Amino acid sequence: MSEPTISRDPRHWMRPGTLQLAALPQLSLYIHLPWCLKKCPYCDFNSHEWSATAAPGEDMPEARYLDALRADLEASLPLVWGRPVHSVFIGGGTPSLFSPEAIDRLLADVRARLPLEADAEITLEANPGTFEKDRFRAFRQAGVTRLSIGVQSFDDAQLKALGRVHNGAQARAALEEAAQVFDTFNLDLMYALPGQTLAQCEADLRTALSFAPPHLSVYHLTLEPNTYFAKFPPRLPSDDEAYEMLDRITAITGESGLQRYEVSAYARPGHACRHNLNYWRFGDYLGIGAGAHGKLSFAHRIARPVRVREPRLYMERALAGDAVASMDEVPRAQLPFEFMLNALRLREGFALADFMASTGLPLSSIDTALREAEAKGLIERDARQVRPTERGFDFLSDLQSLFLPG
Ligand SMILES: C[S@@+](CC[C@H](N)C(=O)[O-])C[C@H]1O[C@@H](n2cnc3c(N)ncnc32)[C@H](O)[C@@H]1O
Ligand code: SF4
């Protein structure tokens, strides 16, 4: 392992090394807005209930946070100088808690500092609990091109069990407005929920599809360590029941014209999420905001910067000129696994040429693992492309772990 490094000095990252990246991959921008109305009991994202840390009557520090993001971005520029940005994802937390005026200012700050491609995809995560009439239209006017709506379920009892602040009617209203205002949007659902039956899961999915979402993400509810649910686990469907639900989800989405192009993502042709595709293709991303992670390539090394996690400390540090908590170099031996963690999530898999281009490694570094994966029926390949098989998709972590350093 290389020594952990905190250095924003581009010369440090540009010095010679053993990797050879002929060209740098596509660059995206991730912006983290960390606050939520209420922390959900299953959530392990860097999201914070504002009222839990605020003095009575103290408002969310929208302007100060935007100042911090601007300072963070400015301090990062030397590491990505001149590189065009092809997508922006404003995630959280609950970004739709920020006012449309704040999002407008944020995007203006970004455009003034980074060469954003003219047709860049700009996604904003929205929570139906923050929905009010015309709010989505105002986000669109601020420059957002795609909304990602965290519905999770349409069933009021289920939403309550998940600790959500919205109900099914609010989810429907939010989707109706999103469908009217945006050319493309995403709907997040979760399945294998506490006490959920196959019929309830199917009903949720059919309601979701009635809004004709161009993109649907469906996640298996997982009990993450350090969450309320990990401490007080609800009764969840068995693994077999969960598999059955996933089979139904894949069949029904397929019938309605959505393609499962990634393990959890389904889209109509032309509506795959460009920002997430860039992650899965092992592209680069600059991550700004509290706790944001990034991945930045240089000619001879790849770095993973991480921002200070706690929002108030993040603002303080960013405004003082350095919000980076750590910036480690990805060890050469770890790169094949990191690449596969992403690329094998895609139905299309990856081109061998892209593996070499984005890791800077020769194909010999994955030859043995590819042979083993093929022998086990987990991948299929030709001279150019490697794809996970159905079995590979079902046993994805077994497949990915074949690429761990020996
Ligand atoms: C970054 S979260 C934030 C979105 C937004 N704050 C919300 O919750 O509506 C994005 C998505 O991850 C999914 N998610 C969050 N925690 C999860 C968990 N423990 N298991 C499965 N999916 C989860 C949810 O579907 C959620 O919409
Ligand atoms: S609203 Fe989303 S980000 Fe916030 S606590 Fe709930 S799941 Fe996490």
Side-chain angles (χ1 to χ4, degrees):
M1 293 272 291
S2 63
E3 283 294 304
T5 322
I6 304 185
S7 172
R8 284 177 122 151
D9 183 348
R11 286 168 304 182
H12 173 82
W13 295 101
M14 287 168 188
R15 71 194 194 283
T18 56
L19 290 184
Q20 298 295 340
L21 273 75
L24 299 183
Q26 236 176 189
L27 178 68
S28 296
L29 174 67
Y30 175 77
I31 305 173
H32 193 75
L33 306 187
W35 290 294
C36 293
L37 287 173
K38 186 169 162 286
K39 182 82 180 174
C40 302
Y42 56 86
C43 175
D44 78 334
F45 288 93
N46 186 29
S47 55
H48 304 259
E49 204 169 304
W50 168 249
S51 56
T53 58
E58 189 188 358
D59 283 339
M60 200 173 71
E62 206 175 68
R64 185 169 155 84
Y65 196 76
L66 293 180
D67 290 344
L69 286 173
R70 180 156 67 191
D72 190 359
L73 180 57
E74 266 171 11
S76 312
L77 290 179
L79 293 172
V80 294
W81 218 240
R83 294 177 64 182
V85 169
H86 95 125
S87 64
V88 180
F89 195 102
I90 307 172
T94 303
S96 55
L97 271 183
F98 276 58
S99 64
E101 296 72 31
I103 300 300
D104 186 63
R105 182 193 139 184
L106 173 61
L107 290 175
D109 284 348
V110 169
R111 284 182 199 284
R113 286 161 187 82
L114 285 173
L116 210 55
E117 282 172 4
D119 64 343
E121 175 190 271
I122 302 178
T123 303
L124 177 105
E125 276 183 345
N127 190 319
T130 62
F131 172 74
E132 55 192 52
K133 187 101 189 83
D134 294 333
R135 194 172 177 85
F136 291 173
R137 206 173 291 280
F139 285 135
R140 176 163 187 152
Q141 272 154 10
V144 171
T145 65
R146 180 176 183 272
L147 221 54
S148 177
I149 304 176
V151 169
Q152 323 311 347
S153 171
F154 293 93
D155 180 319
D156 286 346
Q158 211 46 271
L159 287 166
K160 205 161 174 222
L162 290 172
R164 299 292 297 188
V165 295
H166 71 271
N167 58 27
Q170 283 169 304
R172 288 180 169 82
L175 287 165
E176 266 161 27
E177 177 140 325
Q180 262 180 31
V181 174
F182 286 89
D183 300 332
T184 194
F185 68 93
N186 168 57
L187 190 169
D188 275 347
L189 273 189
M190 294 195 297
Y191 74 100
L193 303 178
Q196 193 179 41
T197 62
L198 181 61
Q200 287 170 331
C201 168
E202 189 169 329
D204 260 351
L205 181 64
R206 293 207 184 272
T207 308
L209 292 172
S210 71
F211 293 93
H215 193 287
L216 179 69
S217 301
V218 190
Y219 301 108
H220 183 307
L221 174 68
T222 33
L223 296 189
E224 303 287 353
N226 303 318
T227 58
Y228 181 88
F229 271 5
K231 220 164 151 194
F232 304 101
R235 202 180 61 77
L236 296 176
S238 67
D239 285 352
D240 283 349
E241 287 169 311
Y243 268 118
E244 214 179 327
M245 289 179 188
L246 182 58
D247 281 347
R248 291 298 294 147
I249 290 165
T250 309
I252 296 170
T253 46
E255 285 160 19
S256 72
L258 290 166
Q259 245 177 25
R260 188 183 183 195
Y261 71 102
E262 188 263 352
V263 174
S264 310
Y266 305 75
R268 289 186 202 294
H271 290 273
C273 175
R274 285 192 255 154
H275 185 86
N276 287 343
L277 272 178
N278 191 47
Y279 292 151
W280 297 321
R281 290 178 179 154
F282 212 50
D284 276 4
Y285 51 100
L286 176 64
I288 60 170
H293 290 231
K295 169 190 171 260
L296 295 175
S297 301
F298 303 88
H300 304 293
R301 53 192 31 81
I302 296 177
R304 288 208 175 273
V306 181
R307 300 301 193 260
V308 171
R309 190 173 162 85
E310 201 284 312
R312 286 182 196 264
L313 187 60
Y314 165 77
M315 289 191 284
E316 214 173 280
R317 289 275 303 270
L319 291 167
D322 190 7
V324 177
S326 64
M327 186 159 170
D328 294 348
E329 182 173 335
V330 184
R332 184 186 166 96
Q334 192 71 26
L335 276 170
F337 179 62
E338 293 220 1
F339 179 90
M340 299 302 166
L341 271 184
N342 291 285
L344 291 173
R345 296 181 63 91
L346 287 172
R347 174 60 82 206
E348 68 183 18
F350 63 93
L352 291 166
D354 292 340
F355 170 80
M356 293 189 284
S358 62
T359 61
L361 293 172
L363 284 184
S364 57
S365 62
I366 51 169
D367 194 44
T368 310
L370 284 179
R371 277 174 212 270
E372 192 177 343
E374 196 171 23
K376 289 184 167 160
L378 298 172
I379 57 161
E380 54 193 15
R381 58 173 167 163
D382 55 32
R384 294 180 47 215
Q385 191 83 11
V386 175
R387 283 178 211 84
T389 57
E390 286 293 330
R391 190 180 156 75
F393 241 31
D394 284 347
F395 297 95
L396 188 58
S397 43
D398 294 344
L399 168 57
Q400 288 161 331
S401 62
L402 296 178
F403 296 87
L404 278 166

